[in-house]
């Protein structure tokens, strides 16, 4: 019979794992990885030369280029097996909003809520983003003139929301590029450093923000990420200036 001590011991172990960042149980029995072979046994005869290494960026380019519409791009991403993030994520978070919008917003990567629900920017940062957009009369839905289209550089949530690795950004970039071509927006908003890294090849959002540049052959405006604004409310002042700059540009080219 289970004793109270067993219960408290098990509970303490569980709390400790949660503290370390465990978010879900994936098996009833633990796996002792020290007892596993270092490498999987070869499946082909050593006499047969191994196939040339597949370059994930080359595969991504070929898949993305072939996608003639958004549904095909979604399917191409879903079939892309070279990104480890896919295996740890629950959802492929593709996009939200109006595909005919004048403004395309490119964020970083799904967080926990986005991964759970399958839509970009639905957590706390997303709620702030919606309020920021509403302040200049933009929304996810509605007619093309007043709406936005939202996606991320990465469609899969990185574990523990860690920063994406450069090679992950590089292999997903062809999909972002094709996504922009298919939407063909008038302007792009690059939300935060990772988005600037992908679109402009540089970081330093504090210097980049508020200065119009060009990414994916389209005029773009780098802005502070709403998650940063939640942590640093004083920066909302600059974010407001950038929103007004976006509004002014949309009005000027109407
Ligand atoms: N942060 C992002 O950059 N994208 C999301 O979808 C959610 C949070």
């Amino acid at each position: 019979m289970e004793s109270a001590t067993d219960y408290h011991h098990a509970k303490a172990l569980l709390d400790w794992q949660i503290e370390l960042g465990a978010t879900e149980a994936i098996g009833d029995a633990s796996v002792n990885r020290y007892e596993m072979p270092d490498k999987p046994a070869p499946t082909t005869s050593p006499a047969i030369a191994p196939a040339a290494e597949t370059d994930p960026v080359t595969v991504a380019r070929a898949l993305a280029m072939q996608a003639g519409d958004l549904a095909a791009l979604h399917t191409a991403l879903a079939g892309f097996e070279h990104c480890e993030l896919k295996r740890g994520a629950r959802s492929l978070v593709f996009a939200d909003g109006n595909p005919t919008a004048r403004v395309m917003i490119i964020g970083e990567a799904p967080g926990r809520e986005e991964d759970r629900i399958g839509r970009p920017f639905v957590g706390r940062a997303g709620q702030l983003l919606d309020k920021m957009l509403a302040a200049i009369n933009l929304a996810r839905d509605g007619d093309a003139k007043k709406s936005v289209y939202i996606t991320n550089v990465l469609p899969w949530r990185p574990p523990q929301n860690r920063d994406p690795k450069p090679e992950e950004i590089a292999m997903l970039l062809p999909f972002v590029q094709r996504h922009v071509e298919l939407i063909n927006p008038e302007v792009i908003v690059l939300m935060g450093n990772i988005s600037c890294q992908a679109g402009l090849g540089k970081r330093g959002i504090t210097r980049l923000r508020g200065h119009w540049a060009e990414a994916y052959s389209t005029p773009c405006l780098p802005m502070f990420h709403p998650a940063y604004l939640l942590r640093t409310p004083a920066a909302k002042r600059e974010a407001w200036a950038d929103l007004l700059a976006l509004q002014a540009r949309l009005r000027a080219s109407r």
Side-chain angles (χ1 to χ4, degrees), residues 77-236:
L77 258 174
F80 183 64
E81 298 297 344
H82 295 269
C83 184
E84 278 301 311
L85 298 176
K86 180 181 181 185
R87 277 170 259 296
R90 211 181 271 198
S91 316
L92 190 174
V93 178
F94 187 68
D96 196 16
N98 184 343
T100 66
R102 298 170 75 194
V103 182
M104 179 165 181
I105 296 175
I106 304 182
E108 176 181 329
R112 198 213 307 231
E113 278 304 283
E114 290 75 18
D115 184 42
R116 193 174 67 80
I117 292 172
R119 283 171 59 208
F121 282 101
V122 290
R124 279 184 68 224
Q127 287 158 21
L128 176 57
L129 175 62
D130 286 341
K131 284 188 195 152
M132 290 162 65
L133 295 171
I136 55 166
N137 216 12
L138 291 175
R140 298 180 194 226
D141 306 309
D143 76 80
K145 285 204 174 76
K146 290 184 177 174
S147 56
V148 296
Y149 183 81
I150 306 178
T151 189
N152 284 308
V153 175
L154 278 82
W156 297 292
R157 180 193 182 199
Q160 310 303 321
N161 296 343
R162 65 153 170 78
D163 274 358
K165 297 176 188 166
E167 60 270 27
E168 289 165 347
I169 298 180
M171 70 175 81
L172 291 163
L173 202 52
F175 294 103
V176 183
Q177 173 78 55
R178 187 71 188 131
H179 211 152
V180 173
E181 283 167 10
L182 292 170
I183 295 296
N184 191 22
E186 217 172 289
V187 295
I188 294 175
V189 175
L190 300 175
M191 283 294 182
N193 261 324
I194 300 298
S195 187
C196 288
Q197 179 70 55
L200 301 171
K202 48 188 171 186
R203 301 170 79 119
I205 191 66
T206 312
R207 271 177 298 110
L208 296 171
R209 62 137 285 273
H211 299 284
W212 285 94
E214 193 176 287
Y216 313 104
S217 310
T218 307
C220 72
L221 183 65
M223 279 187 64
F224 283 138
H225 194 287
Y228 173 75
L229 297 176
L230 287 172
R231 295 193 301 272
T232 321
K236 284 185 182 167

Side-chain angles (χ1 to χ4, degrees), residues 33-106:
R33 298 201 184 274
Y34 291 105
E35 284 176 0
M36 293 172 82
D38 281 349
K39 286 190 185 140
T43 50
T44 52
S45 144
I48 302 170
E53 283 273 308
T54 348
D55 171 31
V57 179
T58 310
V59 177
R61 276 202 202 113
L63 280 171
M65 256 169 45
Q66 286 162 18
D69 57 25
L70 293 173
L73 188 65
H74 187 285
T75 306
L77 258 174
F80 183 64
E81 298 297 344
H82 295 269
C83 184
E84 278 301 311
L85 298 176
K86 180 181 181 185
R87 277 170 259 296
R90 211 181 271 198
S91 316
L92 190 174
V93 178
F94 187 68
D96 196 16
N98 184 343
T100 66
R102 298 170 75 194
V103 182
M104 179 165 181
I105 296 175
I106 304 182

